[in-house]
Amino acid sequence: MKFKTKTAPGEVSPWVIFSWVGIAFAAYWFFPWIALDYGLTDSTMDELITALGWKCNRTTLLLPTFLAFIAPFAWIRFPKKGSGWFYTKASGLVIGSILLSFIVTETPMGLGAGVVIMCMAALFAIGISELGFQRGDTFIAGAVIFIIFMVIAFIFFPVWEIFYRLLFDKTGGFSPFQFFRIITSFGVGRIIGNTLQLAVAVGFTTTIFGLIFALYSVRATTRFRYLIRIFYILPIITPPFVVGMSLILLFGRAGMINDGLIYLLGPNGIFTPEGAQGIFERSGYIYGFTGIFLAQTLSLTPVSYMVISGMLSSINPAMEEASLTMRADRWKTLWSVTLPLLRPAIANAFLLGMISSAADFGNPLVLGGDYDVLSTEIYFSIAGSQLDFAKAAALGFILLIISLSVFVIQKKWIGQKSYVTVTGVETSGNVTPLPLGLQRGMTVFISLWLLLVGILYVSIFLGGFVRQWGADYSLTLSHHAELWLKGLESGAWPSFLHSIVYSIIAAPLTTLMGILIAYIITRKQFFGRSIIDFGTVLIFAIPGTVIGVAYILAFNTPPLELTGTAMILIITMAIRAMPVGIRGGMSALSQISTTLEEASLLQRAGSLKTIRSVLLPLLKSTIVSSMAYSFIRAMTTVSAVIFLATAGTDVATTYILSRVESGDTGVAVAYGSVLILAMLLFTLLVQAISGRSRTDNQVQIERGAHE
């Protein structure tokens, strides 16, 4: 044992170790050790003092004593790997003791305990790096520990809670047949059947329509095809349920179409003979399967278009030119060459449409009527009068199995697309135009589609300026006044500001964590890498509704009692958008040679400095686009946050849905139109600042994730 006087290159400074110990020491004395009932900002000074560790539990005084004992060892060097073992065992002992004490006492963990655990995790990373993990690279060791912790805490643990609720009843007794009892109960089979029926129908329809849009945008010879380029941006900036709301404005009982048909063909209609009853009556035909199917088709067709158009653009034109050279006409070339090469993309789009339809929550909630699906039934099992967590867990498990099954098929079967094109890259050349008759037919179809979409979005904006849609079309500003002119403490302002603040925090977390995970996966080999790999698969595949249920089950009890806090919403938003950050990072890193990093490391720069000085400047475009896309996703997400938002942490999408459920359609569509406009302005602002559309760039990254 000897004292350290100098620090070798790449070695952790004693002051760094001492700083982590000092932060932990200060956190114990000044931060609440147990969770506060009303949060850190809304609690009184007496409540803050009572929650301090030395005040609420004198046994915890052992912690600062132990920290004071190990602090001087920052300047003491043990022989061989003694220092590594010392920091690893000491920090592991502290982390284990803290977690065990909260679990045994069933006490919710406070900020002070969380900061202490974070500091000890940093010491643990220093310890294992000195033992040789990741060749002594402390930053990479810490990053690996942090990522594994995140995956276990916020992916595996919540999913395990779903399994636990299936295997154990409310009293904690082992009940292995509870799951089968739930899925064989009355109505559950019908709900599963409805979900699969809707998913297959939407998957088939969106694939066909996506193929039409892709062929037209890539192969049509008319300038009208450029209009489609803005087509796939709409579902990104639009909350998932807004399309359903606009369909109600057009086709609902008090919708414009119903009003028009009543005026023409209803009782006393202008084409109804005097004394006759008329041939049309007001009906709710838009509610149920028809409405959900139409809303999901309109919402998800752009996603299928993205998947298919990406692969269509990469087909080598020489293959089709060879077909034409052999005297095959355009129709024959399309059916015999082009479409067979698109089989993986077509199948991929179909499966993606299925999984997106099954996971959709907003549209079935708005338009479902008596047509129940898994996502809404899960919600009502918890939010309704049932309060049946076991049923919600069982239905969530079924939805997770459906999503994982489709995801596995997508990756194992469709992911092997080496036969798509000879070169496998986008090539230049003269592409084969569409047959003239087919192009004209597609022009008519796409024109009608865009007209319908335009009418839907116009109805959303107009709906916020009429007194009562379907009854009184006189213009008014009352809906917007109720939302925005009653002060920052009422109306829509609290939820809107919450969404902005949470999204601003979640977006950089999503981007940086996604890029860090991508770097670890693509650049490093280590024990435990399979945990991160499988965790990222779950992040990609797990539906938002299942995440919401899992988080309620996992974080509603000690030691991590996070439900009802802003933190759980921020974590949920970050996790939901994480796949885009990971995919964007992997895509960008694949284009950067490892020799640049190796040259930096040879100059004795550590991994942290290499990433900061070499990789991050090269990843600037990916960071901006991923952050912009993550911000929009966080602002418009609904399926997971609907379970977790409370009156004090309400966000824009949950506020809109609450007004829809209470029948305040005018207020809901007014808020929805403002949210869409805000996201559109944000997208244009990012484009103006960066010089090109970063959101459009991120759409290409998401397309890669789907493929």
Side-chain angles (χ1 to χ4, degrees), residues 593-611:
S593 174
T594 57
T595 57
L596 296 174
E597 302 161 57
E598 293 169 357
S600 176
L601 294 174
L602 286 174
Q603 296 297 317
R604 294 188 175 184
S607 291
L608 177 59
K609 188 173 183 179
T610 298
I611 293 174

Side-chain angles (χ1 to χ4, degrees), residues 55 93 108 169 179 250 340 384 412 456 469 529 553 559 583 609 656:
K55 188 73 174 178
L93 176 63
D169 57 24
F179 173 72
L250 287 181
K412 295 296 184 181
L456 290 175
W469 193 275
R529 186 175 182 270
L553 299 177
R583 180 59 61 178
K609 188 173 183 179
I656 295 173

Side-chain angles (χ1 to χ4, degrees), residues 280-466:
F280 182 81
E281 296 181 357
R282 290 190 183 275
S283 64
Y285 56 86
I286 195 62
Y287 297 98
F289 175 85
T290 303
I292 303 174
F293 170 78
L294 183 57
Q296 290 185 346
T297 299
L298 290 169
S299 302
L300 299 177
T301 293
V303 179
S304 296
Y305 158 75
M306 288 191 292
V307 174
I308 298 174
S309 64
M311 190 168 291
L312 181 62
S313 301
S314 69
I315 293 178
N316 192 339
M319 303 186 69
E320 294 169 303
E321 291 176 354
S323 174
L324 295 173
T325 303
M326 300 300 292
R327 298 185 178 181
D329 58 17
R330 294 180 185 176
W331 278 102
K332 182 70 173 177
T333 300
L334 177 65
W335 284 103
S336 303
V337 178
T338 307
L339 291 183
L341 291 175
L342 289 176
R343 283 174 188 165
I346 292 172
N348 198 0
F350 173 74
L351 294 178
L352 183 62
M354 278 190 61
I355 193 172
S356 300
S357 172
D360 183 26
F361 170 77
N363 288 314
L365 183 66
V366 173
L367 292 166
D370 58 357
Y371 192 85
D372 301 321
V373 293
L374 284 171
S375 58
T376 54
E377 191 65 19
I378 292 170
Y379 172 70
F380 289 120
S381 297
I382 295 178
S385 58
Q386 303 178 48
L387 198 60
D388 191 344
F389 286 106
K391 182 178 180 181
L395 298 181
F397 176 72
I398 294 172
L399 187 56
L400 177 61
I401 291 300
I402 293 173
S403 300
L404 281 176
S405 300
V406 173
F407 187 83
V408 169
I409 294 173
Q410 183 182 11
K411 289 299 178 184
K412 295 296 184 181
W413 174 40
I414 302 168
Q416 302 172 358
K417 53 182 188 293
S418 59
Y419 54 86
V420 170
T421 180
V422 172
T423 61
V425 297
E426 188 171 343
T427 57
S428 59
N430 297 320
V431 298
T432 303
L434 293 172
L436 186 58
L438 179 62
Q439 179 173 306
R440 289 174 178 173
M442 287 183 173
T443 301
V444 173
F445 171 79
I446 292 173
S447 299
L448 294 175
W449 178 287
L450 295 180
L451 177 63
L452 174 61
V453 171
I455 293 174
L456 290 175
Y457 277 87
V458 168
S459 69
I460 283 290
F461 283 91
L462 291 181
F465 292 99
V466 298

Side-chain angles (χ1 to χ4, degrees), residues 59-139:
T59 307
T60 59
L61 286 170
L62 292 172
L63 175 64
T65 304
F66 184 74
L67 293 176
F69 168 74
I70 66 174
F73 285 91
W75 283 271
I76 298 175
R77 189 73 183 175
F78 291 98
K80 298 183 179 179
K81 296 182 178 181
S83 296
W85 283 115
F86 176 77
Y87 295 132
T88 301
K89 292 179 179 179
S91 58
L93 176 63
V94 173
I95 293 173
S97 300
I98 294 175
L99 292 177
L100 183 62
S101 66
F102 280 106
I103 293 173
V104 170
T105 59
E106 296 184 349
T107 306
M109 187 183 300
L111 177 62
V115 173
V116 171
I117 290 177
M118 179 192 72
C119 295
M120 292 300 100
L123 283 186
F124 187 85
I126 293 173
I128 63 173
S129 67
E130 293 200 6
L131 292 176
F133 182 69
Q134 287 298 308
R135 300 181 179 179
D137 194 319
T138 304
F139 173 75

